[in-house]
Amino acid sequence: NISHDFRTPLTLVADPVEHLLADHTLSGDQHRMLMLIQRNVNILLRLVNQILDFRKYENGKMEYTPVQVDVLSSFEGWNESFLAAARKKHIHFSFDNMPDTDYHTLADMEKLERIYFNLLSNAFKFTPENGKVTVRLSSLTKEDTRWIRFTVANTGSMISAEHIRSIFDRFYKIDMHHAGSGIGLALVKAFVELHKGTISVESDEKQGTVFT
């Protein structure tokens, strides 16, 4: 209920800020300050929406709307959002997939996008300068069922065994130095399970961290 109460005033802040940003008579400083307000309002809105989504999932009210999706072309399109982050931190970002593989499947497009964005955002956030982020997309057959598998790996950050046990718990935070709510990975897990999938993580000093 509190999250619902937060959302209304936040949208009432977001709308006028958007209108003000369209004003071409603003000075450079005014425009920058409004951009800052907009960015932080959006962060708050995203957090409130995540909490509301989590509640829906816990109550069995989360909607799942599968449509035909080409996972490969979707991922390739979404990768573009991370190119600026890669350049800024000098991170080597690579995307591999098995050639001649059919990546069409049924998925809830919005939730698939949020799974991907959450995992990649974390990978970029925790990778130091000059590190590596690698996404691998593949297909496998297990017990006569075809699965699409993807891994998101990043170098330079290791999650201890004690943290790995709790990493998908809601509001669990490994690192107090990085901004975040601790709800992102719990939601990723919920969305993966809605697709009848599984998610796991491995981490060591040599390879870094890999989400599958």
Side-chain angles (χ1 to χ4, degrees):
N1 286 349
I2 290 169
S3 298
H4 265 294
D5 290 344
F6 276 148
R7 189 158 63 174
T8 307
L10 278 172
T11 50
L12 292 175
V13 173
D15 289 346
V17 168
E18 213 155 297
H19 287 299
L20 283 169
L21 275 168
D23 181 351
H24 299 300
T25 62
L26 293 173
S27 73
D29 272 351
Q30 288 170 325
H31 193 267
R32 265 194 301 280
M33 283 192 283
L34 280 168
M35 291 286 285
L36 185 66
I37 294 169
Q38 186 185 47
R39 191 167 74 237
N40 285 292
V41 167
N42 286 340
I43 288 170
L44 277 171
L45 266 173
R46 196 163 63 237
L47 175 56
V48 168
N49 286 331
Q50 282 187 340
I51 293 169
L52 291 171
D53 277 347
F54 208 84
R55 224 37 220 129
K56 277 188 210 156
Y57 176 73
E58 287 186 322
N59 295 337
K61 294 200 172 103
M62 170 84 64
E63 283 171 24
Y64 173 63
T65 318
V67 293
Q68 268 294 334
V69 172
D70 177 354
V71 176
L72 175 60
S73 73
S74 299
F75 282 12
E76 285 175 335
W78 296 334
N79 284 344
E80 290 182 17
S81 304
F82 294 94
L83 297 179
R87 276 195 300 272
K88 193 172 165 191
K89 284 178 81 177
H90 308 291
I91 288 171
H92 178 70
F93 176 34
S94 59
F95 177 75
D96 306 327
N97 66 89
M98 286 162 46
D100 308 320
T101 304
D102 179 19
Y103 289 111
H104 287 81
T105 188
L106 282 172
D108 184 313
M109 197 66 168
E110 186 213 347
K111 291 179 180 58
L112 183 63
E113 184 178 16
R114 287 180 60 190
I115 290 167
Y116 197 67
F117 267 74
N118 244 314
L119 290 176
L120 265 165
S121 299
N122 276 351
F124 276 95
K125 183 160 73 173
F126 291 107
T127 304
E129 291 230 352
N130 301 310
K132 275 201 317 210
V133 172
T134 309
V135 178
R136 289 199 170 89
L137 180 62
S138 58
S139 173
L140 65 145
T141 303
K142 209 165 58 180
E143 292 157 14
D144 296 334
T145 308
R146 195 175 69 86
W147 295 80
I148 289 174
R149 173 169 62 194
F150 73 95
T151 59
V152 176
N154 70 288
T155 59
S157 71
M158 194 198 120
I159 305 167
S160 70
E162 133 204 30
H163 285 316
I164 276 188
R165 274 199 300 276
S166 310
I167 199 164
F168 295 110
D169 295 353
R170 60 188 180 161
F171 306 121
Y172 187 81
K173 287 184 71 169
I174 292 177
D175 179 359
M176 293 306 159
H177 304 302
H178 284 83
S181 61
I183 202 171
L185 284 174
L187 259 184
V188 165
K189 184 173 190 276
F191 289 162
V192 168
E193 288 173 353
L194 274 177
H195 285 84
K196 304 278 187 286
T198 61
I199 183 164
S200 59
V201 59
E202 291 169 15
S203 191
D204 65 40
E205 271 173 58
K206 244 195 352 240
Q207 66 168 357
T209 300
V210 184
F211 283 88
T212 303

